[in-house]
Amino acid sequence: MYSRSIDEPQHRLDISIREMGGGLRIRIEAGLNEVGVLFRVCSVLYAYEWAIVAAHINSPAADRISDEFEIMPRPGAPPVGEPELRAMVDDLESLLFGGLSVLDYLSARKASPPPPPPASAQAEIRVLHEGEQISIEIKGRDRNGLLLGLAQAFYLMDIDVREADIHTDPDGRIRNRFLVYPSDRRFASEEFCARLSEELRQLL
């Protein structure tokens, strides 16, 4: 449906977009890997009124990401054609490589931040240590802008997500799993894990 490839000394970016059951599948491969990349990508999808129903986030190398998103238009969102897709890809490039901050971007796009959710007893957050692997598992109810909020929380706490699987069930339940780098020694602290869980629970 649409693709763009850029291979320059400053950056490398490959984006492909294709139609999928009323929505889109977006694949992003880029020559960078740093804290906040997921936050930036989610901010663009949020600004263009897409709901992320599934995603696989992967950092196959220290300087590369390979992410795939399945997205659906939010109810009432305007129709999207090739001009809008080109603009969205331009925005992704600006957020990933142009030095534009997420808050400045959302403000310029007049994209209001999602309202805080009501407290939910159904939310479940677990920080798991399985050998050398550390993962954060999140279950709860989906809402507009949820992944953007989670990505912002990871960014503000300087947590580098190396891999993630995002799923939204047909009934609106989410099952998200984020893998972090085992070199982050903060996860050895029960106090840090408890604070992280509380921060994330506020978003659910």
Side-chain angles (χ1 to χ4, degrees), residues 45-164:
L45 299 179
Y46 176 79
Y48 280 83
E49 301 189 55
W50 292 104
I52 300 170
V53 297
H56 180 70
I57 313 301
N58 188 28
S59 302
D63 60 350
R64 187 160 64 91
I65 63 167
S66 178
D67 299 346
E68 192 167 284
F69 297 84
E70 295 179 14
I71 59 177
M72 298 290 289
R74 295 205 301 259
V80 175
E82 187 163 322
E84 290 78 19
L85 292 180
R86 288 180 181 275
M88 188 171 72
V89 171
D90 287 342
D91 289 359
L92 283 167
E93 184 179 359
S94 295
L95 265 293
L96 292 174
F97 295 103
L100 181 63
S101 80
V102 168
L103 296 182
D104 287 345
Y105 169 73
L106 292 176
S107 177
R109 291 278 311 173
K110 296 182 171 56
S112 301
S120 173
Q122 300 181 12
E124 181 182 341
I125 300 169
R126 298 192 300 166
V127 179
L128 303 175
H129 295 75
E130 300 166 324
E132 291 297 314
Q133 183 168 280
I134 302 172
S135 63
I136 304 164
E137 292 189 353
I138 301 174
K139 297 179 181 179
R141 300 295 304 179
D142 191 24
R143 67 177 181 87
N144 180 27
L146 175 58
L147 187 56
L148 174 64
L150 295 173
Q152 181 180 30
F154 293 141
Y155 170 69
L156 292 176
M157 296 186 74
D158 196 31
I159 294 173
D160 197 357
V161 176
R162 68 180 179 90
E163 191 172 344

Side-chain angles (χ1 to χ4, degrees), residues 35-53:
V35 174
V37 168
L38 180 60
F39 182 33
R40 289 176 238 169
V41 173
C42 288
S43 72
V44 174
L45 299 179
Y46 176 79
Y48 280 83
E49 301 189 55
W50 292 104
I52 300 170
V53 297

Side-chain angles (χ1 to χ4, degrees), residues 161-193:
V161 176
R162 68 180 179 90
E163 191 172 344
D165 284 299
I166 311 299
H167 295 282
T168 304
D169 294 334
D171 64 354
R173 293 279 299 174
I174 63 160
R175 296 176 288 114
N176 297 346
R177 185 169 183 256
F178 302 89
L179 271 64
V180 301
Y181 286 93
S183 57
D184 191 337
R185 304 313 304 166
R186 294 175 299 172
F187 282 89
S189 165
E190 291 185 7
E191 180 181 350
F192 175 81
C193 293

